Amino acid sequence: MAREGARTSAAFVPQHGAIVNRSPISFRQGLVGFAIGLLAVAAPLVPRAAFGALPLNYTIGTLLVFSLTLALGVASVLYTFAFAQRIGWPLGRAAMLGLVTAFPIMVASFLGTFILAQLFPQLPLRIPDPSEPNTLAYQVVTSVGDSFPMLAAWAGLILFPAALRAHDQRARELEQLRLEAELLRLRSNLEPHFVLNTLNAVAGFVTDDPVQARELLAALGDLFREATGFRETHRVADEVSWLRRYVAIHELRHANLLQVSWSIDPAAQRMTMPALLLQPLVENGVKHGALRGPEARLSVRIAIEGDTLVAEVRDDGPGPGPRRAGGQGLSIVERRLAFHSGARGHFELSREGKETVARVRMEAVPLHNERNGRNGRNEREERAAE
């Protein structure tokens, strides 16, 4: 028997919509890079100047030259990196381009200030140490030598760590968008046979039992209205409320046959979980389990065990069979659970005695701001009441 045939009706409002292509290197991080470079230059100079080991004018001139060069280097890295990002370059190539572009600019800055100091001695620029050769060749070599370690420090401390963080963030956003697209695709086929069978049942009740027909239509409308307003995650209380409506339709369609029991720990209702995570489990439990069992029994239990939220769906059906090729309901449950709780998330489908048990475990995380966990319809009602 295939218990995987049910499609999920996990419907929620996507929170991302698109990945924002923003630069991972901010102006503040550029200032930090400038401060680190200037501190590295000032640290050996200032104490020596304070004790008279270096001329004061040499120290001031050196700090001015390095400040100008550092500012130009940081600006070129930020601009080049942002430009490369805008034209779609990968983060690693964009970071390397920023460093490669900054290197000749910094060398040119050092050489430019040296030439200016030669042409205009009155300018408060770097004054060569008397022991150093005052030649252009020597300035070229020292400019390269001074620029390289500063760029290496920026790369190791700021640029590449920021790029790696941005890469990880983008990977998480891509996974989120992939999951949302998958769920929205499944939402477009929200249990068509369930809806069709419900409408057929309504048609059968229209003449014989119009009250029952109206109840079914109202329940079906409430079900879809609630589902389309859900966020990606919500409170367990919202999950249970929706599931009760979902099961109520099955109970109306299979009057005097389906027996459903609920055991919901009050403390668990404040916890968060992926919206409609349990719907495929309940759907499978009804269609492929309880309705084929000797007593048509289905039970839903949600409780907190230690720091773990545990949700169980049990039925007295004939038991789980191999997953049907193409079935995605339980696979979606597993992927959403892994994305929501990581290693703490766990799903199992097993046979315990005469019952089939679908069990979900995830980290118990309370929703501190309960307004964020309510579905869109409740939020609109609250705003209208205000």
Side-chain angles (χ1 to χ4, degrees):
M1 176 194 61
R3 299 179 61 89
E4 177 63 20
R7 292 185 178 91
T8 179
S9 64
F12 56 89
V13 179
Q15 300 299 308
H16 297 272
I19 295 178
V20 178
N21 190 22
R22 55 185 177 275
S23 174
I25 311 298
S26 66
F27 178 73
R28 180 179 297 179
Q29 289 172 313
L31 289 179
V32 172
F34 174 83
I36 291 175
L38 190 59
L39 182 62
V41 174
L45 292 179
V46 173
R48 289 173 172 81
F51 284 93
L54 288 176
L56 183 60
N57 58 352
Y58 171 83
T59 303
I60 295 175
T62 299
L63 291 177
L64 286 175
V65 170
F66 271 87
S67 297
L68 175 62
T69 303
L70 285 169
L72 290 173
V74 169
S76 63
V77 167
L78 292 177
Y79 177 80
T80 307
F81 190 90
F83 174 77
Q85 283 282 279
R86 283 197 300 271
I87 64 176
W89 278 36
L91 292 172
R93 289 176 60 190
M96 188 59 65
L97 179 64
L99 294 174
V100 170
T101 303
F103 184 72
I105 290 176
M106 294 178 67
V107 172
S109 175
F110 280 127
L111 294 177
T113 54
F114 167 75
I115 294 173
L116 285 175
Q118 301 302 309
L119 296 176
F120 305 100
Q122 68 274 18
L123 293 177
L125 298 176
R126 182 179 182 182
I127 300 174
D129 190 292
S131 62
E132 295 180 345
N134 192 21
T135 64
L136 182 61
Y138 177 78
Q139 293 300 320
V140 170
V141 173
T142 56
S143 297
V144 171
D146 289 340
S147 300
F148 184 79
M150 285 189 289
L151 289 174
W154 288 346
L157 295 175
I158 297 176
L159 193 61
F160 284 111
L164 288 175
R165 287 193 299 270
H167 182 273
D168 291 342
Q169 176 64 26
R170 181 168 297 182
R172 287 193 294 270
E173 290 179 347
L174 284 172
E175 174 63 17
Q176 177 70 20
L177 287 176
R178 185 198 62 78
L179 186 61
E180 289 180 357
E182 187 174 49
L183 290 172
L184 289 174
R185 178 179 59 81
L186 292 172
R187 172 186 167 187
S188 66
N189 292 319
L190 177 58
E191 249 248 76
H193 28 280
F194 166 75
V195 177
L196 180 61
N197 291 338
T198 301
L199 293 176
N200 286 337
V202 169
F205 285 131
V206 165
T207 303
D208 299 334
D209 193 344
V211 174
Q212 184 88 320
R214 286 196 297 271
E215 289 181 0
L216 273 173
L217 283 176
L220 190 62
D222 288 342
L223 195 73
F224 276 86
R225 184 168 56 252
E226 292 284 340
T228 55
F230 279 139
R231 299 175 184 270
E232 180 192 349
T233 59
H234 62 178
R235 298 176 306 168
V236 171
D238 295 321
E239 181 85 358
V240 172
S241 175
W242 192 91
L243 287 175
R244 287 183 183 274
R245 288 187 173 91
Y246 178 77
V247 171
I249 293 178
H250 284 290
E251 290 177 314
L252 288 171
R253 286 176 49 201
H254 305 284
N256 303 320
L257 176 61
L258 189 61
Q259 303 179 53
V260 183
S261 61
W262 301 83
S263 176
I264 311 299
D265 183 354
Q269 300 199 55
R270 299 188 302 112
M271 303 299 153
T272 59
M273 68 183 306
L276 305 186
L277 180 73
L278 303 182
Q279 186 274 335
L281 309 183
V282 172
E283 180 184 338
N284 276 353
V286 172
K287 293 174 55 178
H288 304 294
L291 293 180
R292 300 182 182 185
E295 299 180 15
R297 287 187 292 102
L298 180 82
S299 65
V300 180
R301 170 181 170 268
I302 303 179
I304 295 179
E305 297 178 359
D307 60 349
T308 302
L309 180 67
V310 181
E312 293 179 352
V313 178
R314 295 174 176 262
D315 66 74
D316 64 344
R323 295 194 182 185
R324 180 176 61 84
Q328 301 184 48
L330 300 185
S331 297
I332 289 292
V333 170
E334 291 172 330
R335 287 197 293 272
R336 294 189 69 200
L337 193 60
F339 189 82
H340 178 74
S341 298
R344 294 289 302 274
H346 180 67
F347 168 72
E348 60 179 313
L349 181 65
S350 61
R351 188 72 175 175
E352 297 182 4
K354 296 182 179 182
E355 293 183 323
T356 299
V357 182
R359 182 179 293 112
V360 167
R361 296 179 182 273
M362 69 191 82
E363 184 179 4
V365 179
L367 187 65
H368 299 294
N369 185 357
E370 295 190 354
R371 286 181 61 88
N372 290 336
R374 295 172 187 170
N375 59 43
R377 185 175 71 99
N378 287 342
E379 289 182 346
R380 289 192 295 271
E381 289 175 352
E382 288 177 0
R383 287 196 295 268
E386 293 173 357

